[in-house]
Amino acid sequence: MIEIVPDQKKSNEETTIIVGMSGGVDSSVCAAVLKEQGYNVIGMFMKNWEEEDEFGVCQASKEYDDVIKVCEKLDIPYYSVEFVKEYKDNVFKHFLEEYEAGFTPNPDILCNREIKFKVFLDKALELGADYLATGHYCQNLNLGGQRRLVKGNDPGKDQTYFLYTMKSEKLDHVVFPIGHLPKSEVRELAQKYDLATKNKKDSTGICFIGERNFKNFLSQYIQLKTGNFENLKGEVVGEHSGAAYYTMGQRKGLGLGGPGEPWFVVGKDITRNVVIVERGEKHPALYCDELWANEISWVAKDFEFELPLKCRAKVRYRQADQDCTIESIDGDLIHVTFSESQRAVTLRQSIVFYTTIEEQNVCLGGAMISKSGPTHYERDLNL
């Protein structure tokens, strides 16, 4: 039997679970599964963004309408809470600062840390809930006498990469009812319960941007200057629309043509507002064997280990786990080497670490990439 609610001392009927409902199919199925298992379920919608899109539509209002439909179908109470100010102060402001500095931020990680599993979790507990449930594809399991953040069983949907800042003490109050299920089965359950969201497409991209043009949205908040695309020889090969719009390894949207292999972003010189590009998907300037990261966050409060530590890691969400070694930790700076070369390691993205405990793929924590390299191009030239 899959463990959904951790170590509860009450009966299901006495256990109150607030479900963080987004208006999507995953959180809807969470509420339905918990209700069927006899828990006292309450739906709660979290409003973080209130701006209308270019068509005058407020996405939050549309999503809340779907939450209402699902909750009424399940005959459970529902509420809406607003964290617009907290989101703008603690997530969106940081998002803009990172882009202005020329980096490619990941606001989902910050939203989970600062909003969903901080102010939203606190609000749920304040209202008397025993647990907060969310539709994340991950698991909260007791392994070796300690609660662990474990990968979801659907490898294509696992979301632990975005949750590595979760602390083990938070896991005592959080449940992930669908983390053990493949997405296909979640869809089937939505059909079985005849939920209003059963045919709703998965949301993609950054939540507060939605289906809008990203460049148009960002230009409302920050002014990015055009600049040059240069190759590694310093030759100008085109003009970019703002360095922040481009990320390591990017091919699409560069607007660079000509005979030969496609162009790829291999670096940035933010001081000069230059985006560095080279031809070829496997150009040596895209590959390196080590990196350094800071802002370390371990899930387990008392996580202790000896160095060097062999484990696995990923440097982007969709990447398969890579064998690596944590070579050293100097204060808040961690040095990691990889068994195989890594492509397009991107500054200010997260590296997330994993290991196996009791045959489960456990998320240990992660850090923010602060330096990569040397690249194979630099290594070959002895730079």
Side-chain angles (χ1 to χ4, degrees), residues 295-334:
E295 299 180 37
I296 307 167
S297 179
W298 303 117
V299 175
K301 190 174 183 179
D302 56 349
F303 182 50
E304 296 180 358
F305 55 91
E306 293 183 0
L307 295 172
L309 174 69
K310 292 187 179 297
C311 57
R312 299 181 300 278
K314 55 169 58 179
V315 296
R316 65 184 60 84
Y317 170 48
R318 293 294 183 186
Q319 185 183 34
D321 290 0
Q322 307 289 301
D323 290 333
C324 71
T325 303
I326 299 176
E327 300 286 356
S328 64
I329 299 179
D330 183 7
D332 192 40
L333 187 66
I334 187 169

Side-chain angles (χ1 to χ4, degrees), residues 77-88:
Y78 55 88
Y79 303 94
S80 175
V81 291
E82 183 173 303
F83 298 119
V84 173
K85 184 181 186 302
E86 290 87 345
Y87 192 89
K88 286 188 174 179

Side-chain angles (χ1 to χ4, degrees), residues 21 23-25 27-32 43 63-78 193-198 200:
M21 301 190 70
V25 65
S27 58
S28 300
V29 170
C30 285
E63 301 296 354
Y64 188 45
D65 287 343
D66 286 335
V67 169
I68 293 172
K69 292 174 185 176
V70 169
C71 290
E72 289 183 344
K73 173 72 175 181
L74 297 174
D75 192 26
I76 62 174
Y78 55 88
Y193 297 121
D194 192 26
L195 302 177
T197 54
K198 62 186 178 183
K200 198 168 184 178

Side-chain angles (χ1 to χ4, degrees), residues 20 198 225 268 353:
K198 62 186 178 183
K225 297 180 180 179
K268 293 182 184 181
F353 302 102

